Amino acid sequence: MAVAPPSYCFVALPPATEGGHLIFGKNSARPRDEVQEVVYFPSATHEAGSKVECTYITIDQVPKTYAVILSKPAWMWGAEMGANENGVCIANEAVTAREPAAEIEALLGMDLVRLGLERGSTAAEALDTIVSLLDKHGQGGNYCEDGSMCHAFHSTFLIMDRTEAWVLETAGKYWAAEKVTAGVRCICNQLSITTKIDSEHPDVRSYVQNQGWWNGEGDFSFSEAFSQPGDSLSSCCSAKEALEKKAEITVHTVIDFLRDKNSGTCVDSNTFLTTASMVSVLPQNLKSSCIHFFTATPDPARSVFKPFIFTSDVKAVPKVQSPTFKEDPAKKEPRFQTKVDRRHDLYKAHQRALSVLRSEKEHGQSLMETMLGLEKQSLEAMEDVLSRTEPLDPTEAADLFFDCVDTEIKFYN
């Protein structure tokens, strides 16, 4: 059985956060050599009968899709994490369960992240979108760009907007959802919803009874019914406990936490690496802009978080977009028989800088300090944006992410 990548994802809600904001963070652990790109798609209207080609299957398109910013493995259609213009954020984790994960090609958990963002104006609406698509199309297929074996998993999701968050966990077509309105909630690569269930698949309890995973007596625990024997939530729970000890959770708190390798939050093993990270700040004040920070490069301990704000005329950032291939081995069947170079310009520049860090420690340390200084300036500027009571001038935000990426590459070079 394939091992689920040990990613971490969490949300902090008032009163645990500074300024009464909702703050979200995710480290995306993936195969070490996989490239993630950060891509913006504007809102769009679609003709009746239109289709959308996801990673493995084609489904019906909806009349309107919202603008989205996504951090995604470059070979697939879906995303590990992202946000939309309505202040909705979604991230997912791969999980294993007693229910075997389907190897047959269907929707990936990452496809469901993107579809939820494109179609959900609120967290609750995005959740409804995901479970309806799950019921109609199912989930399945290879989670990795690997032709030697199929890495198939179920999915768990963290879905949030300015006022609330939902944890959605799945096993095949069955699911349960927990609403979160205060404090800290973490998810990782194991099921975590116990008896606090606010919404569920209508047949989930009868199904687990028929399987002999629950006797029908007492409170129903989704994770207890579906988890494999021996699964432990200790690592994920320790992340929650560490955040809860903070007097007031800030953007800086979250970024520092994502960079922490000693706790295991930042993954760097022989098999997996944190290939991209994301932090979002969602103010409850609708006049304030939501701010989303992306690394677009591996290892947040050696990467820079760069801000993005939704506005009109967002400038495209091709330097964090991977090249496209006419004969892409991810789309040809049989899939993944060869590999192509999916590195984008920022990824290449970042890798060159990492080699300097390793071979020329003094020069590398100076470079890293310079980059973190630029990041600090950017974070301070974003704090000013969050404190404003009037709407942000669109011209201030249209080039924001583009300029940060461009500056980072220049410093690396």
Side-chain angles (χ1 to χ4, degrees):
M1 179 182 294
V3 177
S7 298
Y8 292 89
C9 179
F10 52 87
V11 61
L13 299 93
T17 57
E18 180 185 53
H21 307 316
L22 186 150
I23 304 177
F24 154 76
K26 174 173 164 73
N27 273 345
S28 171
R30 299 282 301 171
R32 288 193 64 90
D33 62 347
E34 187 178 78
V35 177
Q36 281 201 39
E37 58 182 350
V38 175
V39 188
Y40 169 79
F41 295 99
S43 60
T45 56
H46 308 277
E47 296 182 359
S50 294
K51 303 288 184 179
V52 56
E53 184 179 346
C54 302
T55 301
Y56 296 128
I57 65 172
T58 298
I59 66 172
D60 292 334
Q61 185 57 284
V62 292
K64 175 179 172 58
T65 50
Y66 297 112
V68 297
I69 181 80
L70 308 170
S71 184
K72 58 186 286 296
W75 63 270
M76 69 173 63
W77 182 85
E80 276 279 291
M81 50 200 170
N84 72 17
E85 62 183 296
N86 303 304
V88 177
C89 297
I90 308 178
N92 88 310
E93 309 286 351
V95 293
T96 55
R98 282 174 166 173
E99 181 79 6
E103 296 187 6
I104 187 171
E105 293 184 347
L107 290 175
L108 286 178
M110 290 72 86
D111 294 335
L112 292 166
V113 168
R114 179 170 175 177
L115 290 163
L117 290 170
E118 289 186 340
R119 302 179 181 193
S121 62
T122 66
E125 189 171 284
L127 184 150
D128 289 342
T129 296
I130 291 173
V131 297
S132 64
L133 289 167
L134 185 65
D135 185 63
K136 185 173 183 179
H137 301 286
Q139 61 178 320
N142 202 338
Y143 262 53
C144 299
E145 193 179 14
D146 185 354
S148 64
M149 68 176 292
C150 182
H151 306 258
F153 302 103
H154 306 291
S155 300
T156 178
F157 304 87
L158 191 53
I159 309 167
M160 68 223 73
D161 56 27
R162 292 174 184 258
T163 60
E164 66 183 26
W166 286 84
V167 176
L168 169 64
E169 297 190 337
T170 70
K173 70 175 184 178
Y174 299 101
W175 57 271
E178 174 190 340
K179 187 176 182 179
V180 184
T181 57
V184 177
R185 183 64 161 88
C186 299
I187 63 171
C188 54
N189 60 316
Q190 293 177 3
L191 297 173
S192 64
I193 292 178
T194 57
T195 58
K196 186 183 181 303
I197 299 174
D198 296 292
S199 186
E200 64 186 56
H201 188 286
D203 300 325
V204 64
R205 300 192 186 209
S206 60
Y207 177 74
V208 295
Q209 278 189 269
N210 290 336
Q211 295 295 312
W213 299 338
W214 180 53
N215 62 12
E217 298 177 2
D219 293 334
F220 170 65
S221 168
F222 184 83
S223 60
E224 185 176 327
F226 280 102
S227 291
Q228 296 175 332
D231 278 356
S232 170
L233 277 173
S234 58
S235 58
C236 195
C237 291
S238 65
K240 179 177 183 290
E241 291 169 2
L243 281 171
E244 286 178 334
K245 290 179 181 178
K246 303 294 182 181
E248 195 172 49
I249 297 171
T250 68
V251 175
H252 302 276
T253 305
V254 172
I255 289 176
D256 289 344
F257 190 71
L258 293 177
R259 286 175 167 153
D260 186 2
K261 292 189 177 182
N262 291 331
S263 68
T265 305
C266 180
V267 177
D268 189 354
S269 69
N270 292 333
T271 307
F272 299 114
L273 177 68
T274 297
T275 55
S277 304
M278 175 183 173
V279 173
S280 290
V281 185
L282 311 179
Q284 291 185 316
N285 182 358
L286 296 179
K287 291 183 179 180
S288 298
S289 299
C290 297
I291 304 176
H292 312 282
F293 298 88
F294 296 90
T295 60
T297 51
D299 189 353
R302 296 289 182 267
S303 290
V304 177
F305 286 83
K306 297 163 284 291
F308 173 91
I309 297 175
F310 283 95
T311 186
S312 56
D313 301 320
V314 170
K315 190 171 185 178
V317 189
K319 292 180 180 179
V320 290
Q321 296 175 18
S322 298
T324 57
F325 301 91
K326 186 176 181 181
E327 297 291 325
D328 195 319
K331 297 181 179 180
K332 293 169 58 178
E333 295 190 31
R335 302 186 197 274
F336 313 128
Q337 299 306 295
T338 59
K339 280 197 172 183
V340 291
D341 186 355
R342 302 189 187 275
R343 295 176 301 163
H344 47 71
D345 289 349
L346 179 61
Y347 188 100
K348 292 177 181 177
H350 181 261
Q351 294 301 102
R352 290 195 298 269
L354 284 183
S355 68
V356 172
L357 280 170
R358 297 186 184 104
S359 62
E360 304 174 42
K361 290 189 176 181
E362 186 174 336
H363 178 49
Q365 186 63 33
S366 175
L367 173 63
M368 197 65 212
E369 288 175 358
T370 300
M371 297 310 303
L372 291 177
L374 290 172
E375 179 188 85
K376 182 180 178 182
Q377 293 177 22
S378 174
L379 290 171
E380 290 172 350
M382 293 305 101
E383 288 174 358
D384 178 63
V385 170
L386 289 168
S387 67
R388 297 182 187 182
T389 55
E390 71 279 359
L392 182 69
D393 182 348
T395 60
E396 294 185 49
D399 298 346
L400 180 62
F401 190 64
F402 178 97
D403 290 342
C404 290
V405 170
D406 197 50
T407 299
E408 186 177 349
I409 290 176
K410 287 177 181 177
F411 269 92
Y412 288 150
N413 290 337

